Amino acid sequence: MNHVTTYIRQALHDIYPPGELRSLTKIICCDLLGQDAIDYYLGKDITLSVKEEQELESILARLRNFEPIQYILGEARFMGRTFRVAPGVLIPRPETEELVEMMLKELSPVSRVLDVGTGSGCIAISLAKELPESQVTAWDVSGEALSIAATNSKALQASVRFEQRDVLTYEPCVADC
């Protein structure tokens, strides 16, 4: 085990359970500090510059404040795709993937879908990618969330219409919609 790995584990051992700590350590070393995964598993040491040491201290401070690693990374995986996330949106969850998979079984290939409270856009974008002939619209009250969702949509080349809406004042369609 290299000295950086040992340092990370010692800095966080009283906060995170062993399994989560192992996972966080690998993410910090490989995804945030740029160590090759093979070198990580072989226990090779990392030599950090002063800037990288400062970055590591910042990461550890954020984790000590219970900030999710996805916000620190700035991304989260959902249905095999990488989505940008930030504190203004919820982190996509595995249970939500199950929801999307159930929706895909129920929806016809040409559907109209409305995602209310879209956040990162993971549901709307995933449905638009899997059902390319469908019309997918996503609403959120937060301009920040819509900006993140639109960035994700563009990066993943999904066709989703994003709208900022106050869903509490929306009047439902009562005619042929």
Side-chain angles (χ1 to χ4, degrees):
M1 190 176 323
N2 70 51
H3 75 279
V4 173
T5 300
T6 301
Y7 180 73
I8 292 167
R9 291 184 180 171
Q10 287 175 347
L12 301 173
H13 82 278
D14 57 335
I15 301 170
Y16 296 96
E20 188 172 359
L21 186 52
R22 280 190 299 276
S23 184
L24 287 171
T25 302
K26 181 183 179 293
I27 291 168
I28 293 168
C29 289
C30 297
D31 296 340
L32 295 170
L33 297 176
Q35 185 179 30
D36 288 332
I38 191 75
D39 290 340
Y40 173 81
Y41 287 116
L42 290 174
K44 290 190 178 179
D45 233 343
I46 307 173
T47 303
L48 300 178
S49 67
V50 172
K51 182 181 177 191
E52 290 169 326
E53 286 178 6
Q54 292 169 342
E55 182 180 341
L56 176 59
E57 289 304 322
S58 173
I59 292 165
L60 295 174
R62 292 170 75 180
L63 288 168
R64 282 187 205 104
N65 285 325
F66 302 100
E67 184 172 349
I69 191 69
Q70 293 90 340
Y71 289 158
I72 297 169
L73 285 168
E75 63 185 35
R77 299 284 295 166
F78 185 82
M79 296 203 62
R81 297 179 179 90
T82 301
F83 287 82
R84 181 174 174 268
V85 295
V89 300
L90 295 176
I91 297 165
R93 302 204 30 93
E95 303 84 46
T96 308
E97 286 186 1
E98 293 174 17
L99 172 70
V100 171
E101 289 168 356
M102 289 185 336
M103 292 172 68
L104 289 170
K105 291 176 185 171
E106 297 295 322
L107 291 170
S108 74
V110 182
S111 296
R112 291 178 58 190
V113 177
L114 175 61
D115 178 17
V116 178
T118 197
S120 67
C122 64
I123 294 172
I125 292 166
S126 296
L127 290 172
K129 293 295 289 181
E130 299 299 321
L131 302 168
E133 295 177 42
S134 292
Q135 179 184 17
V136 181
T137 303
W139 292 354
D140 208 294
V141 298
S142 167
E144 179 184 0
L146 287 170
S147 176
I148 290 169
T151 298
N152 285 329
S153 184
K154 183 176 181 181
L156 295 167
Q157 301 176 342
S159 179
V160 179
R161 188 174 79 223
F162 295 99
E163 297 178 18
Q164 188 166 4
R165 294 279 184 117
D166 180 354
V167 294
L168 298 177
T169 61
Y170 176 71
E171 296 192 23
C173 179
V174 293
D176 182 28
C177 298

